[in-house]
Amino acid sequence: RMGRTLVELYYDVISPYSWLAFEVLCRYRHIWNIELRFRPAFLGGIMQQTGNKPPAMLPKRGEYMLKDMKRMAKYYQVPVHMSGDDFKRIIGTSSLAAMRFITAMDMTNPQYLEPLSREFWMRFWSQHEDISQPESILAAARQAGVSAELSQKTLEMISSPAVKDRLKETTAEALKHGAFGMPAVVAHYDGKPHLFFGSDRLELLGSVIGEKWLGPVPS
């Protein structure tokens, strides 16, 4: 497949819309002529740097988001189960340790990056479990098929400067491309980067890179 378009997905597992984009892009990577690259970044850092606020901070928007997510989950066939108290849960949960863990895995054993990221979303958004504590991080890794030994070793890496710096650098790259939230999808096409924000712009992404959109669940 000559001249594949590089598509980068900047995501954080605290973001349910990132999960939708992740699954749809995973389905399209063998249909479209793209090279899909996962870029784990820190949403908290992006919000802080851009002065953005979580949608749920505006009550009306939070109400809408609940309904929207229910419809999107069904349409995209991704098991996001969202309820009103999830907003408290999101605001009360830091994804920093999880994103450092995912980053450390990407640096050492990238073959686990996809199943591991999916597992964190499953835990937080489908099973309503914690993802911020070391034992919950290890449980997610176990579910993703990572050995206990490797999980433990990876967990020890999360406080290392190398891992912290890598996560900061990836987050800074997302910001440089113009990201203000997640998911941030960047297509490198025609010699320049094109930013698409959100999980509902993938049809537009296809149009820009000359690929046919077949819906969120292409058969």
Side-chain angles (χ1 to χ4, degrees):
R1 282 148 69 86
M2 282 296 292
R4 283 197 290 176
T5 301
L6 172 62
V7 174
E8 298 180 289
L9 171 66
Y10 292 88
Y11 67 94
D12 186 320
V13 293
I14 201 87
S15 154
Y17 290 101
S18 289
W19 189 11
L20 301 177
F22 174 89
E23 296 299 356
V24 174
L25 287 170
C26 282
R27 293 167 193 161
Y28 270 91
R29 79 184 136 189
H30 303 301
I31 297 173
W32 285 355
N33 194 19
I34 59 172
E35 181 198 333
L36 178 58
R37 199 172 291 165
F38 299 123
R39 306 299 308 275
F42 183 47
L43 180 56
I46 287 187
M47 300 298 257
Q48 202 183 356
Q49 293 284 318
T50 58
N52 197 353
K53 299 266 186 294
M57 301 289 268
L58 187 67
K60 280 291 173 208
R61 197 169 166 195
E63 271 171 44
Y64 175 78
M65 192 179 164
L66 274 182
K67 292 181 193 139
D68 187 50
M69 192 42 83
K70 206 167 256 176
R71 292 186 295 220
M72 295 282 271
K74 195 177 168 192
Y75 182 52
Y76 280 63
Q77 291 179 28
V78 177
V80 181
H81 302 300
M82 210 169 173
S83 64
D85 33 327
D86 277 343
F87 296 135
K88 279 202 243 15
R89 229 161 51 97
I90 305 166
I91 291 163
T93 301
S94 170
S95 62
L96 187 57
M99 294 316 297
R100 280 180 181 161
F101 186 85
I102 290 169
T103 298
M105 193 64 82
D106 186 26
M107 290 166 76
T108 55
N109 292 273
Q111 71 274 24
Y112 289 116
L113 182 59
E114 184 186 327
L116 181 64
S117 300
R118 183 174 286 119
E119 210 44 62
F120 275 108
W121 274 305
M122 285 297 289
R123 269 186 86 76
F124 194 73
W125 287 109
S126 214
Q127 295 146 3
H128 292 223
E129 304 219 18
D130 182 65
I131 55 164
S132 63
Q133 298 308 309
E135 56 276 20
S136 58
I137 289 172
L138 291 174
R142 201 163 49 237
Q143 281 297 121
V146 183
S147 74
E149 190 191 1
L150 179 56
S151 303
Q152 194 55 52
K153 222 164 77 180
T154 310
L155 187 64
E156 282 157 20
M157 286 176 68
I158 72 172
S159 50
S160 73
V163 169
K164 288 178 175 178
D165 288 348
R166 165 68 84 90
L167 184 58
K168 276 186 195 140
E169 281 158 20
T170 309
T171 304
E173 260 176 58
L175 284 161
K176 190 189 79 198
H177 287 310
F180 51 88
M182 299 227 171
V185 181
V186 178
H188 297 267
Y189 186 72
D190 249 0
K192 58 179 182 283
H194 302 258
L195 171 75
F196 300 86
F197 170 66
S199 53
D200 55 352
R201 287 292 178 267
L202 301 174
E203 185 174 349
L204 190 59
L205 161 71
S207 161
V208 168
I209 66 173
E211 295 285 354
K212 194 168 163 40
W213 174 250
L214 307 163
V217 191
S219 47

